[in-house]
Amino acid sequence: MSFLNPKYQDLTPYTPGEQVNEQEYIKLNTNESPYPPAASVQQAVVHAAQKLNRYSDIAGESVAKPLARYLGVKQEQLFLGNGSDEVLAYIFQGFTENGIAFPDVTYGFYQVYSNLYQVDAKIVPLKDDFSLELTKYKKTKGTVIFANPNAPTGMYLAPEEICDFLERHPDRLVVVDEAYIDFGGKSMIPLINQYRNLLVVGTFSKSRQLAGARLGFGVGNAALIADLNRLRFSLNPYNVNSLTQAVGEAVLQEQSYVDQKIRETIQVREWSKKKLTELGFEQTDSQGNFLFAKHPKLAGEKLFTALREKKILVRWFNQPRTKDHLRITVGTQEQMERLVQALATIIKEVTV
């Protein structure tokens, strides 16, 4: 006997990347930063732990104030969440009454949240080269959401195309998920005052090395943010805990360190693209902290398994359009050199 509401019986949850002992594996499967946060950020946890007997600041002032300043927005235009996934959850819960539309190859949580909140979701296929064409969304209804750069493809859509859609559809909310924007492209955040129907979602998980802290944010006009907070205060006012607020504040004081690691990631990404091309891989022009590639002589699952046997984890999505592709997180230079060596060995074994 199950006590679960029957409407959730067939719910398929999100499948996160495998977590393993990193002493044994090279972990390139969850798009985390391979670099630890700055020493001052680590130390902030120690200081914050002394006040765990108190509830966290529901306004997250210590993070919201410097983050708003960095982003060039007002605090009332900023929403803090327990990771960007929580921000997305509130969006699907509260802003999709008329449905939602998103790409067929994108972040898996969009479909999961559509099912969880029983939203009428329209899946719009990407083009053959995995690029996003917003004109295809004209015939859909309700909210539009997409990741930019997209995941797992890494493809980037220029702001001009997004602005054109915003202007042509002022009555539709457009959510731009910018989890990877720091690794390539221009953010839409500077345009929130121009478009009242624009909501941008960001995270501290990728470029700021805080995947384990769970800190995300949404940026939009004050009315949108007020509505998000209405939902938050109706569920969990203390959604961002004290430790997370402490490290969030600390990392915002270490922007030079963050920028340095972003540059290193981009350099290693471009080096890795070149090496994979030399090995015969076909790739998208990823602007994220990951690669999206396939080899014409090796099935994706076989390559995924072969790498795992060599203690290298990457991500394989068993879906029709992506079953021969691997999403490979950009690690350190040393880690990517070991990946390239392993791939060269695997390919040689298959083609000999």
Side-chain angles (χ1 to χ4, degrees), residues 129-212:
D129 64 355
F130 293 113
S131 61
L132 175 67
E133 187 176 1
L134 279 178
T135 55
K136 292 184 176 181
Y137 289 75
K138 291 180 179 179
K139 296 182 179 180
T140 63
K141 296 180 180 180
T143 298
V144 173
I145 186 171
F146 56 90
N148 196 39
N150 193 19
T153 67
M155 300 286 281
Y156 169 70
L157 186 65
E160 293 77 15
E161 296 185 55
I162 302 173
C163 290
D164 180 70
F165 188 87
L166 287 164
E167 291 169 2
R168 293 177 182 273
H169 303 277
D171 57 335
R172 300 182 65 182
L173 179 64
V174 176
V175 181
V176 184
D177 185 348
E178 294 188 341
Y180 303 99
I181 196 65
D182 290 336
F183 302 105
K186 294 182 179 180
S187 173
M188 293 292 292
I189 289 176
L191 300 174
I192 62 164
N193 291 321
Q194 186 174 341
Y195 300 104
R196 59 176 296 278
N197 57 328
L198 171 64
L199 182 57
V200 182
V201 178
T203 181
F204 279 54
S205 294
K206 314 302 180 181
S207 63
R208 292 185 176 89
Q209 305 96 31
L210 292 183

Coordinates of all heavy atoms in Angstrom, one line a residue, residues 129-212:
D129 N 21.7 21.2 -35.6 CA 23.0 21.5 -35.0 C 22.9 21.8 -33.5 O 23.9 22.3 -32.9 CB 23.7 22.6 -35.8 CG 22.9 23.9 -35.7 OD1 21.8 23.9 -35.1 OD2 23.4 24.9 -36.2
F130 N 21.7 21.6 -32.9 CA 21.5 21.8 -31.5 C 21.3 23.3 -31.2 O 21.3 23.6 -30.0 CB 22.5 21.1 -30.6 CG 22.5 19.6 -30.7 CD1 23.6 18.9 -31.2 CD2 21.4 18.9 -30.1 CE1 23.6 17.6 -31.2 CE2 21.4 17.6 -30.2 CZ 22.5 16.9 -30.7
S131 N 21.2 24.1 -32.1 CA 21.0 25.6 -31.8 C 19.5 25.8 -31.6 O 18.7 25.1 -32.0 CB 21.5 26.4 -33.0 OG 20.8 26.2 -34.2
L132 N 19.3 26.9 -30.8 CA 17.9 27.2 -30.4 C 17.4 28.3 -31.3 O 18.0 29.3 -31.6 CB 17.9 27.8 -29.0 CG 16.6 28.3 -28.4 CD1 15.6 27.2 -28.2 CD2 16.9 29.0 -27.0
E133 N 16.2 28.1 -31.8 CA 15.5 29.1 -32.7 C 14.2 29.5 -32.1 O 13.2 28.8 -32.0 CB 15.2 28.4 -34.1 CG 14.7 29.4 -35.1 CD 14.5 28.7 -36.5 OE1 14.7 27.5 -36.6 OE2 14.1 29.4 -37.4
L134 N 14.2 30.7 -31.5 CA 13.1 31.2 -30.8 C 11.8 31.5 -31.6 O 10.7 31.5 -31.1 CB 13.5 32.5 -30.1 CG 14.3 32.4 -28.8 CD1 14.6 33.8 -28.2 CD2 13.5 31.6 -27.7
T135 N 12.0 31.6 -32.9 CA 10.8 31.8 -33.8 C 9.9 30.5 -33.7 O 8.7 30.7 -33.9 CB 11.2 32.0 -35.2 OG1 12.0 30.9 -35.7 CG2 11.9 33.3 -35.4
K136 N 10.4 29.4 -33.3 CA 9.6 28.2 -33.2 C 8.7 28.3 -32.0 O 7.8 27.5 -31.8 CB 10.5 27.0 -33.0 CG 11.3 26.6 -34.3 CD 12.1 25.3 -34.1 CE 12.8 24.9 -35.3 NZ 13.6 23.6 -35.1
Y137 N 8.9 29.2 -31.1 CA 8.1 29.3 -29.9 C 6.9 30.3 -30.0 O 6.1 30.4 -29.1 CB 9.0 29.8 -28.7 CG 10.0 28.8 -28.2 CD1 11.1 28.5 -28.9 CD2 9.8 28.1 -27.0 CE1 12.1 27.6 -28.5 CE2 10.7 27.2 -26.6 CZ 11.8 26.9 -27.3 OH 12.7 25.9 -26.9
K138 N 6.8 30.8 -31.2 CA 5.7 31.8 -31.4 C 4.3 31.1 -31.3 O 3.4 31.7 -30.8 CB 5.8 32.4 -32.8 CG 7.0 33.3 -33.0 CD 7.1 33.9 -34.4 CE 8.2 34.9 -34.5 NZ 8.3 35.4 -35.9
K139 N 4.2 29.8 -31.7 CA 3.0 29.1 -31.7 C 2.7 28.5 -30.3 O 1.6 27.9 -30.1 CB 2.9 28.1 -32.8 CG 3.0 28.7 -34.2 CD 2.9 27.7 -35.2 CE 2.9 28.3 -36.6 NZ 2.8 27.2 -37.7
T140 N 3.6 28.6 -29.4 CA 3.4 28.0 -28.0 C 2.7 29.0 -27.2 O 2.6 30.2 -27.5 CB 4.7 27.5 -27.4 OG1 5.6 28.7 -27.2 CG2 5.4 26.5 -28.3
K141 N 2.3 28.6 -26.0 CA 1.6 29.5 -25.0 C 2.4 29.5 -23.7 O 3.1 28.6 -23.4 CB 0.2 29.1 -24.8 CG -0.7 29.1 -26.1 CD -2.1 28.7 -25.7 CE -3.0 28.7 -27.0 NZ -4.4 28.3 -26.7
G142 N 2.1 30.6 -23.0 CA 2.7 30.7 -21.6 C 4.1 31.1 -21.5 O 4.7 31.7 -22.4
T143 N 4.8 30.6 -20.5 CA 6.2 31.0 -20.2 C 7.1 30.2 -21.1 O 6.8 29.1 -21.5 CB 6.5 30.6 -18.7 OG1 5.6 31.4 -17.9 CG2 7.9 30.9 -18.4
V144 N 8.2 30.9 -21.4 CA 9.3 30.2 -22.2 C 10.5 30.2 -21.3 O 10.8 31.1 -20.6 CB 9.6 31.0 -23.4 CG1 10.9 30.5 -24.1 CG2 8.5 31.0 -24.4
I145 N 11.2 29.0 -21.2 CA 12.4 28.9 -20.4 C 13.5 28.2 -21.2 O 13.2 27.2 -22.0 CB 12.1 28.2 -19.1 CG1 13.4 28.2 -18.2 CG2 11.6 26.7 -19.3 CD1 13.2 27.7 -16.8
F146 N 14.7 28.6 -21.2 CA 15.8 27.9 -21.8 C 17.1 28.3 -21.1 O 17.2 29.4 -20.5 CB 15.9 28.2 -23.3 CG 16.0 29.7 -23.6 CD1 17.2 30.4 -23.7 CD2 14.8 30.5 -23.8 CE1 17.3 31.7 -24.0 CE2 14.9 31.8 -24.1 CZ 16.1 32.4 -24.2
A147 N 18.1 27.4 -21.1 CA 19.4 27.7 -20.5 C 20.3 28.3 -21.6 O 20.2 27.9 -22.8 CB 20.0 26.4 -20.0
N148 N 21.0 29.3 -21.2 CA 21.9 30.0 -22.1 C 23.2 30.4 -21.5 O 23.2 31.3 -20.6 CB 21.2 31.3 -22.6 CG 21.8 31.9 -23.9 OD1 22.2 31.1 -24.8 ND2 21.9 33.2 -24.0
P149 N 24.3 29.8 -21.8 CA 24.4 28.7 -22.7 C 23.6 27.4 -22.3 O 23.4 27.2 -21.1 CB 25.9 28.3 -22.7 CG 26.6 29.6 -22.2 CD 25.6 30.2 -21.3
N150 N 23.2 26.7 -23.3 CA 22.3 25.6 -23.0 C 23.1 24.4 -22.4 O 24.3 24.3 -22.6 CB 21.7 25.1 -24.3 CG 20.5 24.1 -24.1 OD1 20.0 24.0 -23.0 ND2 20.2 23.4 -25.1
A151 N 22.4 23.6 -21.7 CA 23.0 22.3 -21.2 C 22.2 21.2 -21.6 O 20.9 21.3 -21.5 CB 23.1 22.4 -19.7
P152 N 22.7 20.1 -22.2 CA 24.2 19.8 -22.2 C 24.9 20.2 -23.4 O 26.1 19.8 -23.6 CB 24.1 18.3 -22.2 CG 22.9 17.9 -23.0 CD 21.9 19.0 -22.7
T153 N 24.3 21.0 -24.3 CA 25.0 21.3 -25.6 C 26.0 22.4 -25.5 O 27.0 22.4 -26.3 CB 24.0 21.7 -26.7 OG1 23.4 23.0 -26.3 CG2 22.8 20.7 -26.8
G154 N 25.9 23.3 -24.6 CA 26.8 24.4 -24.5 C 26.6 25.5 -25.5 O 27.3 26.5 -25.5
M155 N 25.5 25.4 -26.3 CA 25.3 26.4 -27.4 C 24.7 27.7 -26.7 O 24.0 27.6 -25.8 CB 24.3 25.8 -28.4 CG 24.8 24.6 -29.1 SD 26.0 24.9 -30.3 CE 25.0 25.5 -31.7
Y156 N 25.1 28.8 -27.3 CA 24.8 30.1 -26.8 C 23.9 30.9 -27.8 O 24.2 30.9 -29.0 CB 26.1 30.9 -26.5 CG 25.9 32.3 -26.2 CD1 25.3 32.8 -25.0 CD2 26.4 33.3 -27.1 CE1 25.2 34.1 -24.7 CE2 26.2 34.7 -26.8 CZ 25.6 35.0 -25.6 OH 25.5 36.4 -25.3
L157 N 22.9 31.6 -27.3 CA 22.0 32.4 -28.1 C 22.3 33.9 -27.8 O 22.3 34.3 -26.6 CB 20.6 32.0 -27.8 CG 19.5 32.7 -28.6 CD1 19.6 32.2 -30.1 CD2 18.1 32.4 -28.0
A158 N 22.5 34.6 -28.8 CA 22.8 36.1 -28.7 C 21.7 36.8 -28.1 O 20.5 36.6 -28.3 CB 23.2 36.7 -30.0
P159 N 22.0 37.9 -27.2 CA 20.9 38.7 -26.6 C 20.0 39.3 -27.6 O 18.8 39.5 -27.3 CB 21.7 39.8 -25.9 CG 23.0 39.1 -25.6 CD 23.3 38.2 -26.8
E160 N 20.5 39.7 -28.8 CA 19.6 40.3 -29.8 C 18.4 39.5 -30.2 O 17.3 40.0 -30.3 CB 20.4 40.7 -31.0 CG 21.5 41.7 -30.9 CD 22.8 41.2 -30.1 OE1 22.9 39.9 -30.0 OE2 23.6 42.0 -29.7
E161 N 18.6 38.2 -30.3 CA 17.5 37.3 -30.6 C 16.5 37.1 -29.5 O 15.3 37.0 -29.7 CB 18.1 35.9 -31.0 CG 19.0 35.9 -32.2 CD 19.4 34.5 -32.6 OE1 18.6 33.6 -32.8 OE2 20.6 34.3 -32.8
I162 N 17.1 37.1 -28.3 CA 16.2 37.1 -27.1 C 15.4 38.3 -27.0 O 14.2 38.3 -26.7 CB 17.0 36.8 -25.8 CG1 17.8 35.5 -26.0 CG2 16.1 36.7 -24.6 CD1 18.8 35.3 -24.8
C163 N 16.0 39.5 -27.2 CA 15.3 40.8 -27.1 C 14.2 40.9 -28.1 O 13.1 41.4 -27.8 CB 16.3 41.9 -27.3 SG 17.5 42.1 -25.9
D164 N 14.5 40.4 -29.3 CA 13.5 40.4 -30.4 C 12.2 39.6 -29.9 O 11.1 40.1 -30.1 CB 14.0 39.8 -31.6 CG 13.0 39.9 -32.8 OD1 12.7 41.0 -33.3 OD2 12.5 38.8 -33.2
F165 N 12.4 38.5 -29.3 CA 11.3 37.7 -28.8 C 10.6 38.4 -27.7 O 9.3 38.4 -27.6 CB 11.8 36.3 -28.4 CG 10.6 35.3 -28.1 CD1 10.1 34.6 -29.1 CD2 10.1 35.2 -26.8 CE1 9.0 33.7 -28.8 CE2 9.1 34.4 -26.5 CZ 8.5 33.6 -27.5
L166 N 11.3 39.0 -26.8 CA 10.7 39.7 -25.6 C 9.8 40.8 -26.1 O 8.8 41.1 -25.6 CB 11.8 40.2 -24.7 CG 12.6 39.2 -23.9 CD1 13.9 39.8 -23.4 CD2 11.7 38.8 -22.7
E167 N 10.3 41.5 -27.1 CA 9.6 42.7 -27.7 C 8.3 42.2 -28.4 O 7.3 42.9 -28.3 CB 10.5 43.5 -28.6 CG 11.6 44.2 -27.8 CD 12.6 44.8 -28.7 OE1 12.5 44.7 -30.0 OE2 13.6 45.3 -28.2
R168 N 8.4 41.1 -29.1 CA 7.3 40.6 -29.9 C 6.2 39.9 -29.0 O 5.1 39.8 -29.4 CB 7.7 39.7 -31.0 CG 8.6 40.3 -32.1 CD 9.1 39.3 -33.0 NE 9.9 39.9 -34.1 CZ 9.5 40.4 -35.2 NH1 8.2 40.4 -35.5 NH2 10.3 40.9 -36.1
H169 N 6.6 39.5 -27.8 CA 5.7 38.8 -26.9 C 5.7 39.4 -25.5 O 6.1 38.7 -24.6 CB 6.1 37.3 -26.9 CG 6.1 36.7 -28.2 ND1 4.9 36.2 -28.9 CD2 7.1 36.5 -29.1 CE1 5.2 35.7 -30.1 NE2 6.5 35.9 -30.2
P170 N 5.3 40.6 -25.3 CA 5.4 41.3 -24.0 C 4.5 40.7 -23.0 O 4.7 40.9 -21.8 CB 5.0 42.7 -24.4 CG 4.1 42.6 -25.6 CD 4.8 41.5 -26.4
D171 N 3.6 39.9 -23.4 CA 2.6 39.3 -22.4 C 3.1 37.9 -22.0 O 2.4 37.2 -21.2 CB 1.2 39.2 -23.1 CG 1.2 38.4 -24.4 OD1 2.3 38.3 -25.0 OD2 0.2 37.8 -24.7
R172 N 4.3 37.5 -22.4 CA 4.8 36.1 -22.1 C 6.1 36.3 -21.2 O 7.0 37.0 -21.6 CB 5.1 35.3 -23.3 CG 3.8 35.0 -24.2 CD 4.2 34.2 -25.3 NE 4.5 32.8 -24.9 CZ 4.9 31.9 -25.8 NH1 5.0 32.1 -27.1 NH2 5.3 30.7 -25.4
L173 N 6.2 35.6 -20.1 CA 7.4 35.6 -19.3 C 8.4 34.7 -20.0 O 8.2 33.6 -20.4 CB 7.1 35.0 -17.9 CG 8.3 34.9 -17.0 CD1 8.8 36.3 -16.6 CD2 7.9 34.2 -15.7
V174 N 9.6 35.3 -20.1 CA 10.8 34.6 -20.7 C 11.8 34.4 -19.6 O 12.3 35.4 -19.0 CB 11.4 35.3 -21.9 CG1 12.6 34.6 -22.4 CG2 10.3 35.5 -23.0
V175 N 12.1 33.2 -19.2 CA 13.1 32.8 -18.2 C 14.4 32.4 -18.9 O 14.4 31.4 -19.6 CB 12.6 31.7 -17.2 CG1 13.6 31.5 -16.2 CG2 11.2 32.1 -16.7
V176 N 15.5 33.1 -18.6 CA 16.8 32.7 -19.2 C 17.6 32.2 -18.0 O 18.0 32.9 -17.1 CB 17.5 33.9 -19.8 CG1 18.8 33.5 -20.5 CG2 16.5 34.6 -20.9
D177 N 17.9 30.9 -18.1 CA 18.7 30.2 -17.1 C 20.2 30.4 -17.4 O 20.7 29.7 -18.3 CB 18.3 28.7 -17.1 CG 19.0 27.9 -16.0 OD1 19.9 28.4 -15.3 OD2 18.5 26.8 -15.8
E178 N 20.9 31.2 -16.7 CA 22.3 31.6 -17.0 C 23.3 30.9 -16.1 O 24.3 31.5 -15.7 CB 22.5 33.1 -17.0 CG 21.7 33.8 -18.1 CD 22.1 35.3 -18.2 OE1 22.6 35.8 -17.2 OE2 21.7 35.9 -19.3
A179 N 23.1 29.6 -15.8 CA 24.0 28.9 -14.9 C 25.4 28.9 -15.4 O 26.4 28.9 -14.6 CB 23.5 27.5 -14.7
Y180 N 25.6 29.0 -16.8 CA 27.0 28.9 -17.3 C 27.4 30.2 -18.0 O 28.4 30.2 -18.7 CB 27.0 27.7 -18.3 CG 26.6 26.4 -17.7 CD1 25.3 25.9 -17.9 CD2 27.5 25.7 -17.0 CE1 25.0 24.7 -17.3 CE2 27.2 24.5 -16.4 CZ 25.9 24.0 -16.5 OH 25.5 22.8 -15.9
I181 N 26.7 31.3 -17.8 CA 27.0 32.5 -18.6 C 28.4 33.0 -18.4 O 29.0 33.7 -19.3 CB 25.9 33.6 -18.3 CG1 26.0 34.7 -19.3 CG2 26.1 34.1 -16.9 CD1 25.6 34.2 -20.7
D182 N 29.0 32.8 -17.2 CA 30.3 33.3 -16.9 C 31.4 32.7 -17.8 O 32.5 33.3 -17.9 CB 30.7 33.1 -15.5 CG 29.8 34.0 -14.5 OD1 29.3 35.0 -15.0 OD2 29.7 33.6 -13.3
F183 N 31.1 31.6 -18.4 CA 32.1 30.9 -19.3 C 32.0 31.3 -20.7 O 32.8 30.8 -21.6 CB 32.0 29.4 -19.1 CG 32.2 29.0 -17.7 CD1 31.1 28.6 -16.9 CD2 33.4 29.0 -17.1 CE1 31.2 28.2 -15.6 CE2 33.6 28.5 -15.8 CZ 32.4 28.1 -15.0
G184 N 31.0 32.1 -21.1 CA 30.9 32.5 -22.5 C 29.6 33.3 -22.7 O 28.5 32.8 -22.3
G185 N 29.7 34.4 -23.4 CA 28.5 35.2 -23.8 C 28.2 36.3 -22.8 O 28.9 36.6 -21.9
K186 N 27.1 37.0 -23.1 CA 26.7 38.2 -22.4 C 25.4 37.9 -21.6 O 24.5 37.3 -22.2 CB 26.5 39.4 -23.3 CG 27.7 39.9 -24.0 CD 27.4 41.1 -24.9 CE 28.6 41.6 -25.6 NZ 28.3 42.8 -26.4
S187 N 25.4 38.3 -20.4 CA 24.2 38.1 -19.5 C 23.1 39.0 -20.0 O 23.3 40.2 -20.5 CB 24.6 38.4 -18.1 OG 23.4 38.3 -17.3
M188 N 21.9 38.6 -19.7 CA 20.7 39.4 -20.0 C 20.3 40.3 -18.8 O 19.4 41.1 -18.9 CB 19.5 38.5 -20.3 CG 19.6 37.7 -21.6 SD 19.5 38.8 -23.1 CE 17.8 39.3 -23.0
I189 N 21.0 40.1 -17.7 CA 20.7 40.9 -16.5 C 20.6 42.4 -16.7 O 19.7 43.1 -16.2 CB 21.6 40.5 -15.3 CG1 21.3 39.1 -14.9 CG2 21.5 41.5 -14.2 CD1 22.2 38.5 -13.8
P190 N 21.5 43.0 -17.5 CA 21.5 44.4 -17.7 C 20.2 44.9 -18.4 O 19.9 46.1 -18.4 CB 22.7 44.7 -18.5 CG 23.7 43.6 -18.2 CD 22.8 42.4 -18.0
L191 N 19.4 44.0 -18.9 CA 18.2 44.4 -19.7 C 16.9 44.2 -18.9 O 15.8 44.4 -19.4 CB 18.2 43.6 -20.9 CG 19.4 43.7 -21.9 CD1 19.3 42.7 -23.1 CD2 19.5 45.1 -22.4
I192 N 17.0 43.9 -17.6 CA 15.8 43.6 -16.9 C 14.9 44.8 -16.7 O 13.7 44.7 -16.6 CB 16.0 43.0 -15.5 CG1 16.9 43.9 -14.6 CG2 16.7 41.6 -15.6 CD1 16.8 43.6 -13.1
N193 N 15.5 46.0 -16.7 CA 14.7 47.3 -16.6 C 14.0 47.6 -17.9 O 13.0 48.3 -17.9 CB 15.6 48.4 -16.2 CG 16.1 48.3 -14.7 OD1 15.3 47.9 -13.9 ND2 17.3 48.7 -14.5
Q194 N 14.5 47.0 -19.0 CA 13.9 47.3 -20.3 C 12.8 46.3 -20.6 O 11.9 46.7 -21.3 CB 15.0 47.1 -21.3 CG 14.6 47.5 -22.7 CD 15.8 47.5 -23.7 OE1 17.0 47.5 -23.3 NE2 15.5 47.4 -25.0
Y195 N 12.8 45.1 -20.0 CA 11.8 44.1 -20.3 C 11.2 43.6 -19.0 O 11.8 42.9 -18.2 CB 12.4 43.0 -21.1 CG 13.0 43.4 -22.4 CD1 14.4 43.5 -22.5 CD2 12.2 43.7 -23.5 CE1 15.0 43.9 -23.7 CE2 12.8 44.1 -24.7 CZ 14.2 44.2 -24.8 OH 14.7 44.6 -26.0
R196 N 10.0 44.0 -18.8 CA 9.3 43.5 -17.5 C 8.9 42.0 -17.6 O 8.6 41.4 -16.5 CB 8.0 44.3 -17.3 CG 7.0 44.2 -18.5 CD 5.7 45.0 -18.2 NE 5.0 44.4 -17.1 CZ 4.2 43.3 -17.1 NH1 4.0 42.7 -18.3 NH2 3.6 42.9 -16.1
N197 N 9.0 41.4 -18.8 CA 8.7 40.0 -18.9 C 10.0 39.1 -19.0 O 9.9 38.0 -19.4 CB 7.9 39.8 -20.2 CG 8.5 40.3 -21.5 OD1 9.3 41.3 -21.4 ND2 8.3 39.6 -22.6
L198 N 11.1 39.7 -18.5 CA 12.3 38.9 -18.5 C 12.7 38.6 -17.0 O 12.7 39.4 -16.1 CB 13.5 39.8 -19.1 CG 14.9 39.3 -18.9 CD1 15.1 38.0 -19.7 CD2 15.9 40.3 -19.5
L199 N 13.0 37.3 -16.8 CA 13.5 36.8 -15.5 C 14.8 36.0 -15.8 O 14.7 35.0 -16.5 CB 12.4 36.0 -14.8 CG 12.7 35.4 -13.4 CD1 13.1 36.5 -12.5 CD2 11.5 34.6 -12.9
V200 N 15.8 36.4 -15.1 CA 17.1 35.7 -15.3 C 17.5 34.9 -14.1 O 17.3 35.4 -13.0 CB 18.3 36.7 -15.6 CG1 19.6 36.0 -15.9 CG2 17.9 37.6 -16.8
V201 N 17.9 33.7 -14.3 CA 18.3 32.8 -13.1 C 19.8 32.5 -13.2 O 20.4 32.3 -14.3 CB 17.5 31.5 -13.2 CG1 17.9 30.5 -12.1 CG2 16.0 31.7 -13.2
G202 N 20.4 32.6 -12.0 CA 21.9 32.4 -11.9 C 22.2 31.5 -10.8 O 21.4 31.2 -9.9
T203 N 23.5 31.1 -10.6 CA 23.9 30.2 -9.6 C 25.3 30.5 -9.2 O 26.1 31.1 -9.9 CB 23.8 28.8 -10.1 OG1 24.2 27.9 -9.0 CG2 24.7 28.5 -11.3
F204 N 25.7 30.1 -7.9 CA 27.0 30.2 -7.4 C 27.7 28.9 -7.6 O 28.9 28.7 -7.2 CB 27.0 30.6 -5.9 CG 26.8 32.1 -5.7 CD1 25.8 32.8 -6.2 CD2 27.7 32.7 -4.8 CE1 25.6 34.1 -5.9 CE2 27.6 34.1 -4.6 CZ 26.5 34.8 -5.1
S205 N 27.0 27.9 -8.1 CA 27.6 26.5 -8.2 C 28.7 26.3 -9.2 O 29.6 25.5 -8.9 CB 26.5 25.5 -8.6 OG 25.5 25.5 -7.6
K206 N 28.7 27.0 -10.3 CA 29.7 26.8 -11.3 C 30.9 27.6 -11.2 O 32.0 27.2 -10.8 CB 29.0 26.9 -12.7 CG 27.6 26.3 -12.8 CD 27.7 24.8 -12.5 CE 26.3 24.1 -12.7 NZ 26.3 22.7 -12.4
S207 N 30.8 28.9 -11.6 CA 32.0 29.7 -11.7 C 32.5 30.2 -10.3 O 33.6 30.6 -10.2 CB 31.7 31.0 -12.6 OG 30.7 31.7 -12.0
R208 N 31.6 30.1 -9.3 CA 32.0 30.6 -8.0 C 32.4 29.4 -7.0 O 32.5 29.6 -5.8 CB 31.0 31.5 -7.4 CG 30.8 32.8 -8.1 CD 29.8 33.7 -7.4 NE 29.7 35.0 -8.0 CZ 28.9 35.3 -9.0 NH1 28.1 34.4 -9.5 NH2 29.0 36.5 -9.6
Q209 N 32.5 28.2 -7.6 CA 33.0 27.0 -6.8 C 32.2 26.7 -5.6 O 32.7 26.1 -4.6 CB 34.5 27.2 -6.4 CG 35.4 27.6 -7.5 CD 35.7 29.1 -7.6 OE1 35.6 29.8 -6.6 NE2 36.0 29.5 -8.8
L210 N 30.9 26.9 -5.6 CA 30.0 26.7 -4.4 C 28.9 25.7 -4.7 O 27.8 25.9 -4.2 CB 29.5 28.0 -3.9 CG 30.5 29.0 -3.3 CD1 29.8 30.2 -2.7 CD2 31.3 28.3 -2.2
A211 N 29.1 24.7 -5.5 CA 28.1 23.7 -5.8 C 27.5 23.1 -4.5 O 26.3 22.8 -4.4 CB 28.6 22.6 -6.7
G212 N 28.4 22.8 -3.6 CA 27.9 22.2 -2.3 C 27.2 23.1 -1.3 O 26.6 22.6 -0.4

